[in-house]
Amino acid sequence: MISVLFRIGLYVSSFFPLYALLLINNYKYFTSWKKVKELFIFKSFLPSIFIYALLVLVLLSIAALIIIIRVSLNEKHQFVGVVKTEDNLLNYVVTYLVPILSIDITKANSLLVNLGLFALLGFIYVKNSLVYLNPLFLFFKYNVFITENNEVLISNYDIYELKNLEGERIRTRVLSYKIYLVRKI
């Protein structure tokens, strides 16, 4: 199973689309090299802190995804009754990502409230091992499937390929209880 630290990395990476949207939403800070330079020398303190934090989160997101894409498949399992499910992912995006777009990076209370929301969601995500709720998997051609035994499969196989492998012991990586990474070799 993956460590708590790695689940935190996957949680941070699940917000990657939000980071891009926040950068677009605050484009006025990037309209010239002079404004970008002002951010990096802390001329505007709160926006500078926000951008630095966003850059760190983006780097953590990329690192977590690279690790999950390259992690070794160290066990063999068989699965039956595989079906595709993406409704949880859509609910996650709409429920949690969209409200955080209300951040006003010039107001400390807005940053603190959203930081609190981000931390609360992170606690729930990590504590409940919701590693499969990550929109970045879709960008890297990984889909989320569920089996008749309520096992969650994160895989770059399509549904037809997984159906053909049903009942066979295939190489996996256990990410959490009943959550498996299944990858083409």
Side-chain angles (χ1 to χ4, degrees), residues 8 58 89 108 137-138:
I8 291 170
V58 165
L89 195 54
F137 289 140
L138 295 175

Side-chain angles (χ1 to χ4, degrees), residues 38-62:
E38 288 174 355
L39 278 175
F40 286 103
I41 62 170
F42 288 89
K43 188 165 185 180
S44 299
F45 183 73
L46 289 177
S48 293
I49 291 290
F50 180 78
I51 296 303
Y52 271 105
L54 213 54
L55 287 175
V56 167
L57 293 173
V58 165
L59 292 174
L60 286 173
S61 299
I62 292 168

Side-chain angles (χ1 to χ4, degrees), residues 3 14 16-17 19 24 27 53 64 75 87 106 125 162 165 167 176 178:
S3 69
S14 73
F16 191 86
Y19 308 147
I24 292 167
Y27 74 93
E75 296 183 20
D87 58 336
T106 61
Y125 183 101
L162 281 176
L165 294 171
S176 190
K178 288 191 165 193

